């Protein structure tokens, strides 16, 4: 497995990470035993970074990972955890809480569910606009000093917030959506991260399977499935976006690859400081995505990809409007 470093002051990790959110119902039902088997297969393949959030399935995801890692050498795994998102019993989003006391409470609960005595990489899921980022990062820094957290990171925040956070404590990475059809970070955020020695852990590299290469336009989705509300999966937006996928398929097939492998390889090609998170929840999907590591893209390939899916050509925003308004990274 290829290795990359999370920032200039962070740990080494596998070049691909495993994003576990889909194993807890965000995209419809998932099979528990297959999810655990997929985590084990990822570890066997050399993946060391597993990403979760305490609000994924309201704790379900952390408990699942804790079960899967029972008996696994803790030093083999980098657990990256997001906190702060508030959800009701019905699953609806209620806002964010990143007050210092809430930070420490969330960490305590996460460690219990994960069956561990420390969290490797800890980050607020979003910016809490009622709490200065300096206070949130300061609270995590106290957890670092106490030995409960190893490294501090951020998620979906803009350039100014990144600078303010980094002035309090070293930040190892920014988790943010980055894919062939989500490239907003190239405008400013990526440059600031590189200036400050902060890596990118890129989620949504397959745009929630929109650019996986076999997403059907007439696919029926459950109400709980995030994609039933996501603008890019609706009506004419979906048709336009799937047309981009077909253009990418031509490039992929010329390389002897799948569209998914091409999309992941493209993200990998953007820099050694970028670690794509793969949201596989089945072993066969995991195996396909691992093939991206063997796919080399030269300048001509990258130019072909740009022609097939130019920046900012995707139709629809990546979240519904209320959630877009919560993204500091989109301001």
């Amino acid at each position: 497995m290829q290795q990359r470093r999370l920032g200039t002051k962070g740990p080494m990790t596998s070049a691909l990470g495993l994003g576990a959110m889909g194993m807890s119902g965000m995209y419809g039902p998932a099979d528990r035993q297959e999810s655990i088997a997929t985590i084990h297969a990822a570890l066997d393949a050399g993946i060391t970074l597993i990403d979760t959030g305490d609000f994924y399935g309201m704790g379900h995801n952390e408990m699942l990972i804790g079960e899967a890692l029972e008996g696994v050498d803790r030093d083999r795994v980098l657990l990256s955890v997001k906190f702060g998102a508030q959800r009701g019993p019905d699953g609806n989003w209620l806002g964010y809480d990143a007050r210092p006391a809430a930070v420490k409470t969330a960490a305590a609960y996460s460690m219990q569910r994960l069956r561990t005595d420390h969290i490797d990489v800890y980050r607020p899921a979003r910016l809490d606009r009622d709490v200065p980022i300096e206070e949130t990062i300061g609270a995590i820094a106290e957890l670092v000093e106490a030995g409960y957290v190893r490294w501090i990171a951020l998620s979906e925040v803009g350039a100014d917030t990144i600078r303010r956070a980094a002035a309090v404590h070293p930040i190892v990475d920014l988790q943010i959506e980055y894919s062939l059809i989500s490239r907003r970070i190239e405008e400013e955020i990526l440059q600031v991260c590189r200036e400050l020695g902060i890596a990118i852990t890129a989620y949504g590299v397959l745009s929630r399977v929109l650019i996986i290469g076999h997403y059907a336009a007439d696919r029926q989705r459950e109400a709980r499935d995030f994609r039933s509300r996501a603008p890019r999966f609706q009506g004419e937006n979906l048709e336009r976006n799937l047309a981009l996928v077909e253009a990418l398929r031509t490039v992929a097939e010329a390389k002897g690859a799948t569209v998914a492998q091409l999309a992941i390889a493209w993200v990998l090609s953007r820099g050694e400081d970028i670690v794509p998170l793969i949201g596989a929840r089945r072993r066969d999907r995991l195996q396909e995505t691992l093939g991206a590591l063997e796919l080399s893209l030269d300048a001509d390939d990258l130019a072909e990809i740009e022609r097939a899916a130019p920046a900012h050509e995707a139709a629809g925003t990546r979240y519904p409007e209320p959630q877009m308004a919560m993204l500091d990274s989109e301001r």
Side-chain angles (χ1 to χ4, degrees), residues 214-226:
H214 43 73
Y215 188 86
D218 59 352
R219 180 174 177 177
Q220 298 298 310
R221 296 177 293 268
E222 293 189 358
R224 291 184 302 166
D225 190 323
F226 167 82

Side-chain angles (χ1 to χ4, degrees), residues 3-11 13-18 49 51 80 121 123 152-159 162 171-179 182-205 264 266-278 318 329:
Q3 299 288 302
R4 294 189 171 187
R5 184 176 294 280
L6 290 185
T8 55
K9 298 184 178 180
T13 184
S14 50
L16 295 178
L18 180 66
L49 176 63
D51 181 78
S80 170
V121 184
R123 70 183 85 233
I152 303 178
L154 296 167
S155 177
E156 287 288 0
V157 292
I162 295 168
I171 304 297
V172 297
D173 79 271
L174 170 70
Q175 189 171 122
I176 194 165
E177 188 165 349
Y178 189 33
S179 73
S182 295
R183 298 176 60 174
R184 179 73 180 273
I185 74 165
E186 294 175 350
E187 296 174 11
E188 181 183 18
I189 291 173
L190 184 55
Q191 177 182 346
V192 170
C193 285
R194 285 175 168 165
E195 173 191 331
L196 298 173
I198 297 171
I200 299 291
T201 47
Y203 75 89
V205 294
I264 297 166
W266 180 87
V267 177
L268 284 165
S269 77
R270 308 311 284 176
E272 291 291 323
D273 54 351
I274 297 175
V275 177
L277 297 173
I278 305 305
R318 53 197 182 99
S329 55

Side-chain angles (χ1 to χ4, degrees), residues 88-161:
D90 58 359
N92 285 334
W93 302 97
L94 306 176
Y96 298 92
D97 188 353
R99 294 170 299 167
V103 171
K104 295 177 180 180
T105 299
Y109 279 57
S110 285
M111 285 187 286
Q112 183 73 17
R113 289 188 290 258
L114 288 164
R115 309 183 190 183
T116 184
D117 62 358
H118 70 278
I119 296 168
D120 296 294
V121 184
Y122 204 44
R123 70 183 85 233
R126 299 287 187 269
L127 177 68
D128 182 344
R129 301 190 190 283
D130 295 326
V131 180
I133 190 64
E134 291 84 353
E135 293 185 13
T136 301
I137 299 303
I140 306 176
E142 291 176 1
L143 292 173
V144 172
E145 185 176 356
Y148 297 119
V149 170
R150 297 280 173 84
W151 294 278
I152 303 178
L154 296 167
S155 177
E156 287 288 0
V157 292
D160 180 63
T161 302

Side-chain angles (χ1 to χ4, degrees), residues 263-297:
I264 297 166
W266 180 87
V267 177
L268 284 165
S269 77
R270 308 311 284 176
E272 291 291 323
D273 54 351
I274 297 175
V275 177
L277 297 173
I278 305 305
R281 53 182 179 172
R282 293 186 352 222
R283 283 168 287 180
D284 59 338
R285 294 286 184 249
L286 173 68
Q287 190 60 41
E288 178 186 0
T289 60
L290 289 171
L293 293 167
E294 306 302 321
L295 185 58
S296 177
L297 302 177

Side-chain angles (χ1 to χ4, degrees), residues 7 21 59 67 86 121 174 181 201 208 240 279 296 305 311:
M21 181 178 71
E67 179 182 347
Q86 306 295 291
V121 184
L174 170 70
I181 63 172
T201 47
R208 300 171 178 84
R240 287 177 54 188
S296 177
I305 291 170

